[in-house]
Amino acid sequence: MKYATIVCLFGMLCSMNGNAQELKSIDYQDADQKLKGMITSNAGSAKPGVVILPAWKGIDQEAKTAALELEKQGYIAFIADIYGVGNTPADNQAASGLSSKYKNDYKLYQRRIQAALNEIKKHGAGKVAVIGYCFGGTGALETARGGLPVEGVVCIHGGLAKAADRPNAAIRAKVLVEHPADDASVKKEDMEQLINEMNEGKADWQIITYANSKHTFTNPESPDYNEVMAKRAWNHTLLFLQELLK
């Protein structure tokens, strides 16, 4: 990582109401699986909430930074634990296998997201939205597909495809997809099928495509990071959340 990027990240974190240490660990469960999420320090107040679905390696710095930024904007932010205690992948190969399990077993993925929604409600959240990065972006779409009780979802460089044998259904949640133009993991037909799915579901949807951006363009720790486009995407996220929740 370049020195300037490190300084930028450090300055961003230090300028917040505290630092990443202020995120509190929260123990919760889905059936017999123990889960450990993280919540902002304003939990317990009556505020709108945002559940953050992290990328394929589980809770990471990008999710933590997003949570603290959302707290500054007046939201309770809760970072979900999808995999569960003891199941954090050690490397990309393990992350690929584990995330694929949840993409294939989408009902399990939706259930883990619902567990996070239940948890943030326990901590005072009123209206709730979901945002997700990468694997979590796929989860944001699964939130909408599953009809989970949220105002809207933001899919940030997520996988857009679903199994061909899954029928399209009504989509109640508003949907924002933030898509990097040069994402090699998303096929043209995936985008076409998503648009068809949204239209058939009579969804309130929008897709913003970011030029000169590869898959993980919002993550400062990734070689794909595009600072200009990442800032634009974040501002688009905040604008969307304000419409939904305030």
Side-chain angles (χ1 to χ4, degrees):
M1 191 190 306
K2 293 181 179 179
Y3 175 78
T5 301
I6 296 173
V7 171
C8 178
L9 277 174
F10 180 78
M12 182 186 299
L13 290 171
C14 289
S15 67
M16 297 174 186
N17 298 328
N19 54 47
Q21 301 303 313
E22 287 193 77
L23 290 170
K24 298 181 291 185
S25 293
I26 297 291
D27 294 322
Y28 64 118
Q29 293 210 187
D30 173 31
D32 294 333
Q33 177 60 60
K34 294 181 180 179
L35 306 169
K36 187 179 288 290
M38 302 190 80
I39 201 163
T40 47
S41 60
N42 59 354
S45 56
K47 296 180 182 295
V50 181
V51 169
I52 301 170
L53 305 179
W56 67 346
K57 284 189 174 180
I59 295 175
D60 59 10
Q61 188 58 53
E62 184 171 29
K64 293 175 184 178
T65 300
L68 290 167
E69 283 290 328
L70 288 168
E71 182 181 19
K72 289 176 64 179
Q73 298 295 324
Y75 302 107
I76 299 170
F78 180 75
I79 309 174
D81 177 11
I82 299 301
Y83 300 146
V85 175
N87 298 320
T88 303
D91 52 33
N92 287 348
Q93 183 177 359
S96 177
L98 199 52
S99 62
S100 293
K101 169 187 173 182
Y102 286 85
K103 289 177 183 177
N104 293 328
D105 189 354
Y106 64 90
K107 290 186 178 180
L108 175 58
Y109 200 178
Q110 291 171 354
R111 200 174 76 217
R112 289 288 163 83
I113 297 166
Q114 182 63 64
L117 294 172
N118 294 343
E119 196 62 31
I120 197 172
K121 285 286 188 178
K122 291 179 184 177
H123 292 274
K127 293 181 179 180
V128 177
V130 166
I131 72 172
Y133 296 89
C134 190
F135 167 61
T138 302
L141 292 178
E142 288 300 341
T143 302
R145 288 167 175 151
L148 302 189
V150 299
E151 301 302 315
V153 303
V154 184
C155 168
I156 306 169
H157 55 79
L160 308 182
K162 68 174 185 178
D165 61 350
R166 290 177 63 184
N168 294 334
I171 302 288
R172 185 194 66 81
K174 296 181 180 180
V175 178
L176 169 61
V177 176
E178 298 180 351
H179 176 65
D182 303 321
D183 190 341
S185 68
V186 175
K187 301 175 183 177
K188 181 180 179 181
E189 51 265 35
D190 295 341
M191 180 67 75
E192 292 171 347
Q193 289 168 6
L194 178 69
I195 291 172
N196 182 62
E197 177 186 3
M198 293 294 110
N199 286 336
E200 286 194 7
K202 301 187 183 305
D204 178 338
W205 65 273
Q206 57 191 314
I207 297 173
I208 303 175
T209 302
Y210 300 89
N212 307 310
S213 297
K214 296 181 180 180
H215 178 52
T216 50
F217 77 107
T218 62
N219 189 345
E221 296 182 359
S222 167
D224 292 348
Y225 183 57
N226 182 324
E227 183 177 5
V228 171
M229 295 300 177
K231 287 180 179 178
R232 289 180 186 174
W234 183 247
N235 286 332
H236 291 147
T237 297
L238 293 181
L239 182 64
F240 186 67
L241 292 176
Q242 183 174 0
E243 176 189 325
L244 295 177
L245 302 178
K246 293 188 174 181

